[in-house]
Amino acid sequence: MNAIVQTQQLTKHFRSQVAIENIDLAIEQGSIYGLLGPNGAGKSTLLKHLVGLLRPTSGQVLIAGEPWQRKHLWHIGTLIESPSLYGHLTARENLKVHTYLLGLPQRRIDEVLEQVELSNVGDKKVAQYSLGMKQRLGIASALLSKPNLLILDEPTNGLDPAGIREMRQLIQRFCEQGMTVLVSSHILSEVEHIVTHLGIISKGRLRYQGTLQELMKYGQQRLEIETLQVQQAVALLRTSYPDVQSNGTKILLAGANAETAHIVTLLTQHGIAITKVDAAQDDLEALFLRIVESGDYR
Ligand SMILES: Nc1ncnc2c1ncn2[C@@H]1O[C@H](COP(=O)(O)OP(=O)(O)OP(=O)(O)O)[C@@H](O)[C@H]1O
């Protein structure tokens, strides 16, 4: 694998609190990597190490195979927490401040405004911008130095559905332009349609890393049977299937698909009328929640 970013056994303690522990992250060049986890899981702490905002307690960060150095920041664009913008200035003026500070040519301003689709409102004061526009302007500023890696910490946080869709489209376009994008979120559905790879973090540990397709293989199959006599059916099945569950209207049997014919026969022989039989599989959301809650995906 051609990794643009790696962490090796990355660990950070804040006094006695362990924020992240032994994280081995590997982000492939050209990928859109979704770092997912609930609030407080350690996403921001991890991302801050990649841009030098935090130093590890132990372990290390490698950028393109080299131990992290400040010079790498020229190739990394970041949006971590809210972008720092001057509301009384226009978008163009805000970007001018950044180009000046970074010693970059002024022509980059129009180029990055174009990239985030703000060219037509570039002369509007930022105080009049919507949250989505401010996020895009923050990304424009991150793009000024032509980075090949973009790190976005919860860029869709607080955006309305249209803003979320625009952000997704932008991220996909950056990837098509050759950038690698690392995007964090605590909501799977906000990123699942665009990411090529996924890292799931909970309680400071990386619980899963790989493609979405690989993860889907761990989705548990279950048999769902609908009947009006749920209680009798559960009582009957419990002797052979101790894990049988019901949700009031359905009987749920994990991993019992191979025995569908036997189960249906057993129920009908005992006079239990079946109205529907379905073979279902965990969707991504169910898998994600299982990993976050149990810490394991198998
Ligand atoms: N500067 C700090 N001092 C002490 N504890 C911290 C500090 N920064 C983070 N933590 C703790 O480390 C843990 C991980 O926090 P972090 O902000 O990385 O999580 P997160 O996944 O980004 O959550 P969120 O989605 O809420 O931002 C939390 O328990 C948090 O309280």
Side-chain angles (χ1 to χ4, degrees), residues 71-275:
K71 66 168 189 184
H72 291 130
L73 288 178
W74 280 104
H75 308 290
I76 304 177
T78 63
L79 183 67
I80 293 186
E81 294 167 346
S82 316
S84 42
L85 301 167
Y86 300 104
H88 64 289
L89 299 182
T90 67
R92 276 205 171 77
E93 287 164 346
N94 267 279
L95 291 170
K96 206 167 176 178
V97 174
H98 289 271
T99 49
Y100 177 74
L101 289 173
L102 296 168
L104 293 167
Q106 300 279 301
R107 64 177 156 74
R108 287 295 294 141
I109 295 173
D110 281 328
E111 290 169 2
V112 295
L113 282 173
E114 174 89 40
Q115 268 181 292
V116 299
E117 295 177 354
L118 287 176
S119 301
N120 55 344
V121 284
D123 294 318
K124 215 173 169 179
K125 287 217 167 77
V126 168
Q128 295 161 9
Y129 270 28
S130 69
L131 183 62
M133 290 160 81
K134 284 181 187 158
Q135 288 291 80
R136 283 190 276 149
L137 180 55
I139 294 175
S141 158
L143 292 172
L144 281 169
S145 66
K146 291 195 179 172
N148 48 25
L149 169 67
L150 200 54
I151 298 178
L152 308 174
D153 192 12
E154 307 244 9
T156 48
N157 221 1
L159 299 189
D160 60 18
I164 293 172
R165 199 178 53 236
E166 280 167 9
M167 187 60 71
R168 281 200 208 117
Q169 287 166 347
L170 271 188
I171 291 173
Q172 272 176 318
R173 205 162 329 130
F174 294 148
C175 182
E176 284 157 18
Q177 289 164 358
M179 272 182 264
T180 306
V181 185
L182 168 56
V183 53
S184 80
S185 178
H186 59 276
I187 302 170
L188 174 69
S189 59
E190 286 187 1
V191 293
E192 71 170 281
H193 298 296
I194 56 163
V195 297
T196 56
H197 295 74
L198 202 62
I200 300 181
I201 184 169
S202 86
K203 299 192 181 106
R205 286 184 167 262
L206 193 61
R207 310 289 178 170
Y208 174 82
Q209 177 166 249
T211 62
L212 283 176
Q213 290 78 2
E214 280 160 2
L215 181 61
M216 281 308 288
K217 285 194 219 143
Y218 296 101
Q220 281 180 356
Q221 298 222 319
R222 63 183 181 278
L223 191 62
E224 296 185 353
I225 300 171
E226 286 182 29
T227 167
L228 297 176
Q229 297 138 281
V230 172
Q231 279 179 354
Q232 292 104 300
V234 169
L236 175 66
L237 291 173
R238 185 144 284 149
T239 48
S240 316
Y241 304 93
D243 294 336
V244 63
Q245 290 181 333
S246 80
N247 68 359
T249 58
K250 276 184 197 168
I251 302 161
L252 310 169
L253 281 146
N257 284 2
E259 292 167 59
T260 309
H262 173 246
I263 292 166
V264 169
T265 311
L266 186 69
L267 291 173
T268 43
Q269 275 173 351
H270 284 79
I272 295 170
I274 295 167
T275 50

